[in-house]
Amino acid sequence: MASSHGNTHSEPAKMEQIITEFFAKSLHIILESRSPYVSSRNNYSGEQVLFSPSPSSSPSSSSFKPRDKWFNLALRDCPAALENIDFWRQSNLEPMIVDVILMQRPNDWDPSSFSPKRGLARNSSGKERYYYGSDNDECGCEAKNEKIIERWVLQYESKKSGGNVGGSSGSKRLSSTSSHALYKKSILLLRSLYATVRLLPAYKLFRDLISSAQIRLYNLGHRVSSFVEPFTHREEADMQRFVFTPVDTSCGRLCLSVLYRSSVLDVSSEPSTPISPQIIPEYVGSPMAEPLKRFPSVPVSQSSPSSSPFGRRHSWSYDLYRASPPSVNPSPSPTYSESHASLSKQRSHRLPPAGLHQTSSTVDKLFSFSKDEPGKMLGVKPSTNSSPSKSFSRSSSRLSFQDDYDDSEFSGPFIVDEDDMVDPGSR
Amino acid sequence: MNCEVCQLKELEVEHFEIREVPGVSLLSLPPLLEIGDDSSILIVQCGDVELERKIDEKIDQFIDKVEKHPNKKNQICLSFYEVKNKQATWFSNKVERLHWEQWYINLNVTQNPKGHSGKSHLPKVEVNPGDTAAEARRARRTALECSLRDVLFQIIRFVNEKRDHVPPIPNLDGVSFPYEITISSSSDSAFGMDMFKRMLQTGHPTMLS
């Protein structure tokens, strides 16, 4: 009985560890492709993901720590992710919300006056944690215009039922399969996430920021928190949703979704020189940026509607001069599905400054809203299982599990005998 | 075990674009998406040198087949399998493979270097008579990029929706699952028979297109 008791407790601990690492890995994947500062600091010359953490394939052994072996997905160091994950290592029942923020620099931006700046705030309950990753040396000033272009929501919905913690052999077999299945499905989900973050429009902005030597008038920041104010319906109407199929476990399920703006590509076509106070009404792109070459998916301005490269409405862009939301394009089909969480209605503080509603410039369109319409709102309901404060007692027990179930031990169930392995690709 | 089959949307490519439009599965092939410096089209790369070599070989075979069968619809099948039993005999060393997932990459290779044919499946792109050939090609590549993105999203949706059939991951290093790549064209008598044969071997397939 004692042995079975120990075995039944090890399975929940494994699953808990998987979920915790899943949160960390997800955050890492997202911020790795959205945080320009981190990439530039790492001498980013092109993304590489090493799915084999072998020393021969890693650029430097120090870049890949044992934790990187999780989910067979070794990524480069991402301090932004590491700094923001501590809270969820202690309590993965709290949702993790990652906002990717497009920051437009002020018109009187002076490169010489910049200094790195970070914002770290915490509310009185200690529940929220905000971190503005706009720490690029070129954009240390406080951005006047911010717009959330992506909102990633990751949540582990725990079942309220007792779960299978019984001591029978049958339940042991079922529970032992659960962690294996969870780990496998987590791998698949993370790979899907990895691909999705690179297919969304914001990735193009990220690539431009880290690869271009030109000084941009925009930057990408991020905010990681467990509680956010939901978008207004007008804001959400301008966004598209993609919901990853949840990963069910015996004790709950992992849910991941993203709300993203499809019309962020126009921003990167801004000229690299500071713009004049008078906003250009018909902004397509500067000759320096070569909009035709870089952004063929961007619709043309109204002044030249016959330009063929932009005649087709791209699946991620739409006519920004339309007041109504874009029609649904099923081809890429970010799944339109009901949100699995709800949030009490909160006052939105995401309205842009009134001064932006002056022209019909492309950038300004990002900060304008369509007509107010009734509809659902995205929200995240804080887990009812969580206490207002961090569960420190739980975290202490979790630490002991982390010590006992390190990566090498946990990867054991998936290691098969080499005799049973077949060389990939053999015929 | 059911074999999940995914028929990817047909891509219309020109001959010189074949190498730029590889469709890969997310399950075992690490997708690495980059935007080329000189092109806005997505370029899919892999971090596994051996895998890239194999893919290049298959692409070479595919190009040869396209040249032999021009203006034909071509198909690349990426199939993942499990080794069911090793049956080594005196005369053969046959290994039984149980396919559990198949991806069909459908390509329509056009031979017209100036643009798509009249039967193009690409979204219609208005081209002014005065546009230069370069602009026309740029427009066409834009449309191809959109189609390729759609296909990649199709892959992501499939991978998300179908997980239960995936066997335990046998190899944590590099490519996770054993796989094979076959090439066929609509002119081949085995174009449909090959798939039908696999259906018989692997049981009732679940089609997802």
Side-chain angles (χ1 to χ4, degrees):
Chain A
M1 186 65 179
S3 60
S4 61
H5 178 74
N7 290 335
T8 55
H9 279 189
S10 65
E11 186 61 23
K14 286 183 179 179
M15 296 183 65
E16 186 176 354
Q17 190 178 18
I18 293 174
I19 294 169
T20 299
E21 295 299 333
F22 184 90
F23 271 68
K25 189 68 73 173
S26 299
L27 182 62
H28 195 159
I29 292 173
I30 294 171
L31 294 185
E32 186 197 44
S33 62
R34 295 294 188 269
S35 181
Y37 174 71
V38 174
S39 299
S40 61
R41 282 284 297 270
N42 288 336
N43 296 323
Y44 188 96
S45 60
E47 293 191 67
Q48 280 192 356
V49 170
L50 300 181
F51 284 77
S52 173
S54 58
S56 59
S57 59
S58 60
S60 65
S61 59
S62 62
S63 299
F64 297 97
K65 303 173 183 178
R67 194 173 298 280
D68 290 338
K69 294 181 181 178
W70 279 95
F71 309 106
N72 194 25
L73 184 60
L75 305 172
R76 291 186 180 274
D77 290 340
C78 183
L82 296 177
E83 293 171 359
N84 286 274
I85 199 56
D86 292 343
F87 174 74
W88 286 273
R89 288 198 178 279
Q90 298 175 3
S91 174
N92 55 29
L93 290 179
E94 294 291 335
M96 182 174 70
I97 304 169
V98 183
D99 286 339
V100 178
I101 303 167
L102 177 64
M103 298 173 292
Q104 182 184 9
R105 298 176 185 177
N107 297 336
D108 58 348
W109 171 70
D110 182 11
S112 61
S113 64
F114 278 179
S115 61
K117 178 179 179 181
R118 293 184 181 182
L120 181 61
R122 195 174 299 176
N123 64 358
S124 57
S125 65
K127 194 174 185 179
E128 301 175 71
R129 180 173 182 171
Y130 298 93
Y131 180 85
Y132 285 87
S134 55
D135 44 15
N136 191 306
D137 289 338
E138 298 177 353
C139 185
C141 69
E142 180 179 354
K144 290 185 64 176
N145 303 320
E146 295 182 356
K147 192 68 176 178
I148 299 176
I149 58 176
E150 286 182 354
R151 172 166 285 176
W152 300 84
V153 179
L154 175 60
Q155 186 174 15
Y156 178 67
E157 297 177 349
S158 177
K159 293 180 182 178
K160 291 189 176 183
S161 58
N164 42 345
V165 291
S168 64
S169 59
S171 64
K172 269 197 302 184
R173 177 180 301 176
L174 178 62
S175 60
S176 64
T177 306
S178 300
S179 63
H180 287 65
L182 173 61
Y183 191 72
K184 180 191 74 175
K185 294 180 180 180
S186 298
I187 291 177
L188 302 177
L189 179 54
L190 287 172
R191 292 187 178 191
S192 300
L193 173 63
Y194 182 87
T196 302
V197 296
R198 284 157 178 78
L199 287 178
L200 296 183
Y203 182 68
K204 187 65 170 61
L205 296 178
F206 168 76
R207 291 284 304 187
D208 288 340
L209 285 172
I210 63 175
S211 61
S212 175
Q214 298 175 342
I215 298 176
R216 299 281 179 176
L217 293 180
Y218 63 91
N219 202 355
L220 287 179
H222 62 270
R223 178 172 60 222
V224 185
S225 57
S226 61
F227 184 84
V228 294
E229 292 187 4
F231 292 122
T232 62
H233 181 73
R234 287 184 299 176
E235 289 175 305
E236 195 168 335
D238 294 337
M239 308 182 80
Q240 298 184 16
R241 184 192 303 272
F242 186 83
V243 179
F244 295 85
T245 304
V247 176
D248 292 320
T249 71
S250 58
C251 301
R253 66 174 189 172
L254 275 171
C255 303
L256 176 63
S257 64
V258 58
L259 268 176
Y260 67 95
R261 290 187 176 272
S262 58
S263 59
V264 299
L265 296 178
D266 299 333
V267 179
S268 54
S269 64
E270 294 182 41
S272 58
T273 56
I275 59 176
S276 61
Q278 185 176 4
I279 299 177
I280 303 173
E282 295 177 354
Y283 188 85
V284 176
S286 69
M288 295 171 58
E290 295 184 341
L292 290 180
K293 183 177 182 181
R294 280 181 176 271
F295 313 105
S297 61
V298 174
V300 292
S301 63
Q302 287 181 334
S303 61
S304 57
S306 60
S307 299
S308 56
F310 310 139
R312 177 183 178 274
R313 176 173 299 176
H314 190 265
S315 56
W316 287 317
S317 62
Y318 58 93
D319 190 349
L320 296 177
Y321 300 94
R322 285 181 57 189
S324 58
S327 58
V328 175
N329 186 347
S331 299
S333 295
T335 307
Y336 284 111
S337 61
E338 292 292 333
S339 173
H340 58 270
S342 60
L343 182 66
S344 59
K345 191 171 183 179
Q346 300 261 349
R347 179 185 63 84
S348 171
H349 66 286
R350 305 310 305 173
L351 290 174
L356 287 179
H357 295 282
Q358 296 178 357
T359 69
S360 60
S361 67
T362 303
V363 174
D364 289 344
K365 283 300 179 182
L366 290 175
F367 297 88
S368 64
F369 301 99
S370 56
K371 291 182 180 180
D372 192 4
E373 296 176 2
K376 63 178 178 64
M377 297 173 63
L378 170 71
V380 178
K381 178 178 66 177
S383 173
T384 55
N385 295 330
S386 63
S387 60
S389 60
K390 298 177 184 178
S391 303
F392 291 104
S393 60
R394 182 170 176 232
S395 63
S396 60
S397 61
R398 184 194 303 251
L399 288 176
S400 64
F401 287 137
Q402 286 179 343
D403 293 336
D404 296 337
Y405 298 96
D406 59 12
D407 302 78
S408 59
E409 286 188 8
F410 189 77
S411 60
F414 296 98
I415 294 178
V416 298
D417 295 334
E418 293 183 355
D419 294 337
D420 296 334
M421 293 178 62
V422 176
D423 290 337
S426 59
R427 297 194 62 180
Chain B
M1 178 185 296
N2 289 338
C3 177
E4 298 290 348
V5 180
C6 181
Q7 288 279 354
L8 297 178
K9 294 178 182 179
E10 182 177 280
L11 293 170
E12 186 171 301
V13 298
E14 293 185 11
H15 190 274
F16 65 92
E17 293 173 333
I18 293 177
R19 289 192 179 276
E20 295 181 345
V21 189
V24 294
S25 169
L26 291 174
L27 290 177
S28 68
L29 304 178
L32 176 62
L33 306 181
E34 287 188 11
I35 299 178
D37 293 336
D38 297 327
S39 172
S40 61
I41 200 169
L42 289 176
I43 298 177
V44 179
Q45 297 181 350
C46 295
D48 190 302
V49 177
E50 180 63 22
L51 177 61
E52 287 184 352
R53 185 188 65 80
K54 292 181 183 297
I55 290 178
D56 287 339
E57 287 180 1
K58 289 298 179 180
I59 291 178
D60 290 337
Q61 296 178 15
F62 181 78
I63 292 175
D64 292 339
K65 205 171 192 64
V66 168
E67 291 176 350
K68 292 178 182 178
H69 306 281
N71 296 324
K72 296 290 184 181
K73 293 188 177 182
N74 300 276
Q75 196 176 59
I76 301 175
C77 176
L78 173 62
S79 181
F80 298 98
Y81 61 88
E82 275 187 305
V83 178
K84 192 64 176 177
N85 291 302
K86 284 187 177 181
Q87 298 177 355
T89 64
W90 285 105
F91 305 99
S92 65
N93 191 20
K94 188 175 181 179
V95 176
E96 183 179 356
R97 296 177 176 178
L98 183 64
H99 296 267
W100 51 270
E101 188 174 276
Q102 293 173 342
W103 298 81
Y104 288 91
I105 305 164
N106 299 293
L107 297 174
N108 183 19
V109 182
T110 58
Q111 300 297 325
N112 184 7
K114 292 186 178 181
H116 54 273
S117 62
K119 297 182 180 180
S120 170
H121 296 282
L122 289 175
K124 299 296 181 183
V125 178
E126 295 182 2
V127 180
N128 284 335
D131 287 341
T132 62
E135 290 182 356
R137 172 166 292 183
R138 195 179 298 117
R140 192 191 171 284
R141 287 181 67 86
T142 300
L144 176 59
E145 178 185 352
C146 296
S147 298
L148 183 56
R149 287 179 186 269
D150 292 347
V151 169
L152 293 176
F153 257 113
Q154 184 183 3
I155 294 174
I156 292 176
R157 289 198 311 274
F158 181 89
V159 171
N160 265 282
E161 295 171 4
K162 306 287 183 181
R163 294 188 191 133
D164 294 334
H165 67 290
V166 180
I169 300 175
N171 184 12
L172 293 178
D173 294 331
V175 179
S176 301
F177 301 102
Y179 66 94
E180 63 178 3
I181 302 175
T182 55
I183 300 169
S184 59
S185 64
S186 58
S187 61
D188 291 346
S189 59
F191 183 76
M193 287 300 298
D194 189 60
M195 182 167 63
F196 181 70
K197 182 180 177 181
R198 285 195 172 88
M199 288 170 58
L200 293 177
Q201 290 177 346
T202 59
H204 178 68
T206 302
M207 301 292 293
L208 179 67
S209 61

